[in-house]
């Protein structure tokens, strides 16, 4: 079913896996039933996945809701780059220059088509626990996407 959605923000993610990960594997993991080790979701977590070589893979159309950030999905477009952890499994900005380029282009394209809107990182959607109007690192519920999205891609 195609529902006309109002998009209010673009949310950037990392896959929290190896940079060599393929979009098809992420999609399969999201959609596989929990009994088979998947997330058991009806729709994938992201609209777009940017692979290490800069290839942009569409997991679902922008008119559909993707499952990227609980409480923010109905009016968000989710973009994920593969990577986001270092060799020891700690959160790290592992983006290749091809990924940075492709992501920038993709975001610019969406903003051109849809008009200006905020571009934020998943972690920027964490609750503002001390209500100072800013989401600071001590409030992040996760590191995703491991770089300063507003500083780099925000308007
Ligand atoms: Zn995320």
């Amino acid at each position: 079913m195609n529902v006309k959605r109002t998009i209010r923000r673009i949310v950037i993610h990392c896959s929290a896996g190896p940079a060599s990960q393929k979009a098809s594997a992420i999609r399969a993991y999201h959609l596989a039933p929990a009994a088979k080790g998947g997330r058991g979701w009806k729709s994938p977590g992201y609209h777009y996945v940017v692979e290490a070589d800069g290839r942009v893979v569409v997991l679902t159309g922008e008119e559909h809701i993707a499952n990227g950030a609980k409480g923010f999905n109905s009016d968000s477009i989710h973009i994920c780059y593969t990577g986001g952890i270092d060799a020891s499994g700690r959160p790290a900005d592992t983006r290749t220059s091809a990924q940075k380029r492709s992501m920038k282009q993709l975001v610019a394209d969406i903003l051109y088509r849809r008009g200006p809107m905020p571009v934020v990182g998943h972690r920027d959607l964490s609750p503002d626990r001390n209500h100072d109007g800013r989401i600071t690192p001590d409030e992040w519920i996760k590191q995703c996407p491991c770089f300063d999205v507003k500083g780099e891609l925000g308007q």
Side-chain angles (χ1 to χ4, degrees):
M1 185 178 60
N2 278 8
V3 179
K4 194 82 183 147
R5 306 199 291 142
T6 302
I7 304 297
R8 294 187 206 285
R9 74 187 72 73
I10 298 171
V11 186
I12 307 293
H13 301 262
C14 65
S15 66
S20 60
Q21 215 172 6
K22 290 293 167 202
S24 53
I26 293 171
R27 183 174 212 283
Y29 169 62
H30 287 169
L31 300 184
K36 294 195 168 159
R39 306 296 299 261
W41 292 343
K42 286 196 171 61
S43 61
Y46 317 114
H47 295 88
Y48 300 98
V49 171
V50 184
E51 295 182 340
D53 64 359
R55 197 164 87 99
V56 176
V57 180
V58 178
L59 292 195
T60 188
E62 292 179 10
E63 71 275 20
H64 299 294
I65 293 173
N67 237 340
K70 204 173 181 186
F72 296 91
N73 292 325
S74 66
D75 52 2
S76 296
I77 291 176
H78 295 289
I79 303 174
C80 172
Y81 72 93
T82 56
I85 53 170
D86 66 15
S88 24
R90 280 186 294 262
D93 181 1
T94 62
R95 289 172 302 156
T96 64
S97 45
Q99 280 175 317
K100 288 182 188 174
R101 254 196 322 272
S102 289
M103 189 176 274
K104 209 168 188 161
Q105 264 169 23
L106 176 59
V107 167
D109 172 66
I110 295 169
L111 295 176
Y112 176 77
R113 284 188 283 111
R114 294 185 171 270
M117 68 180 100
V119 184
V120 301
H122 190 175
R123 67 190 184 190
D124 301 316
L125 300 177
S126 304
D128 182 16
R129 284 199 303 263
N130 63 7
H131 306 286
D132 69 348
R134 297 181 316 133
I135 310 301
T136 42
D138 57 304
E139 293 169 325
W140 292 342
I141 48 173
K142 45 164 65 181
Q143 296 285 320
C144 175
C146 306
F147 74 98
D148 176 17
V149 172
K150 287 184 188 168
E152 229 179 274
L153 298 167
Q155 308 167 78

